[in-house]
Amino acid sequence: MLGATFLLALREIRRHLMRSILTTLGIIIGVAAVVTMVTLGNGVTASVQEEISSLGSSNFIVFPVRVDQGPTRPFELEDVEAVEQQIAGVEVAAGNVGASATAFYNGQDWDTRVTGADSKFLEAQSIQVTEGRRFSESEETSGQNVCLLGTKVRDSLFLPDVSPVGEQMRLGDVPCTVIGVLEERGQGGGGADDDDAVFMPLKTVQRRFRGNDSIDYFVLKYDAAYATSVIQESLIGLLRERRVLQGDAPNDFNIIDTAQVNDALGAVTGALTAMVAVIASISLLVGGIGIMNIMLVSVTERTREIGIRLAIGALASEVRLQFLTEAIVLCALGGLVGLLLAFVASISLAGVIDVPFVFDPTINIVSFLFAAGMGIVFGYYPARRASELDPIDALRHE
């Protein structure tokens, strides 16, 4: 019986194909909007988390700040070493300095950022070397002129089929030997392109580009088994002691916990995605009202048909099931078309706004079931009205 009812529902929908398509537009648009918004929201969340992960997981980033309009006091290498040696739970602490320079190679030039760091910094930030090797301990200690290239610098100065490892290039007036190429990392914090950078040993950049021993900021990687609040309190106490901050004097440094930033941004983007999805789902309710309206019209148009079926022995429950099935099939077909439209729109828009396409089967299944459920909710009243018609009155209907 269910099979026959389903076939009859499809036949009735096909008889009024254009009307059925226009009726399901609300469902189609609602499902497409909800699924597209959630998919794009997941892509934005994944993109943000990827950017945060470029700073490393389980990391603190510590940088100096200006207090009371005074000058910013930079860190010293001794501060970084003290943090690594004296605070329990700290696995690695590494400083960083930066400078701007023009890179030259074989008649080509490229304006880039020179970053002074050591292998500990690469480890803390989870930066991998895809070609060549990292700095050796002797190169870091003596401050030799060796460098690691970001992929954008490599592509801008070297031919695609030529490995830069072992080649001699120049950064401003400083010659350097390329010993490796870093993995592609994309956009980093502050909108900077992490691939548009050249890494050199910390002491080399301090001596040849900066002319001092200061540290712009440092990164520490901590053991996730330790409470971050305890590590942070110990870090604040040690830095205040080393920077001689007395009593109620404010901290002249700031600390960012990348794990907390990641969680906070994930929660914010998730909440925004849910809010947009709820707003988009309003069109589903509008579509459901359209379904109920067209089903009431269908009951009126088919009153004589209903009267004949009841007169020859059809049960009221069978008539109710027939019209309820038509409403459910209409909504389910609209849901399927909406899912297909959402898939195409999500891939296209993800490429436009440059976020990854993250397929979420849960939202697709839930949206489809919700659309089909709209057929039950908004199709029940017309179906009940059809089943309660008096056969004699229905047969007299013109």
Side-chain angles (χ1 to χ4, degrees), residues 8-16 19 298 302 326:
L8 286 173
L10 289 178
R11 187 184 67 179
E12 187 61 31
I13 291 171
R14 188 176 61 182
R15 281 178 56 191
H16 304 282
R19 187 174 74 180
S298 181
R302 297 159 61 187
E326 289 181 19

Side-chain angles (χ1 to χ4, degrees), residues 23-32 283-284 287-288 291 330-331 334-335 338 371 374:
T23 302
T24 56
L25 273 180
I27 300 294
I28 293 172
I29 294 172
V31 170
S283 60
L284 275 174
I291 293 291
L330 267 176
C331 289
M374 298 291 285

Side-chain angles (χ1 to χ4, degrees), residues 66-149:
R66 178 180 297 181
V67 177
D68 297 331
Q69 303 302 317
T72 302
R73 294 172 55 193
F75 292 112
E76 302 296 333
L77 186 58
E78 291 76 12
D79 297 325
V80 181
E81 293 173 346
V83 167
E84 186 176 43
Q85 296 169 4
Q86 299 181 29
I87 298 180
V90 174
E91 297 178 344
V92 174
N96 178 288
V97 295
S100 298
T102 301
F104 299 94
Y105 175 76
N106 198 25
Q108 302 291 323
D109 63 271
W110 181 259
D111 292 331
T112 187
R113 184 177 74 257
V114 181
T115 299
D118 54 23
S119 294
K120 290 182 178 180
F121 184 86
L122 300 180
E123 177 186 346
Q125 299 264 271
S126 301
I127 302 174
Q128 304 297 322
V129 177
T130 56
E131 293 182 52
R133 59 176 178 82
R134 292 182 177 182
F135 305 126
S136 67
E137 185 176 351
S138 61
E139 289 168 342
E140 294 174 353
T141 303
S142 59
Q144 295 184 21
N145 294 348
V146 291
C147 58
L148 299 168
L149 304 183

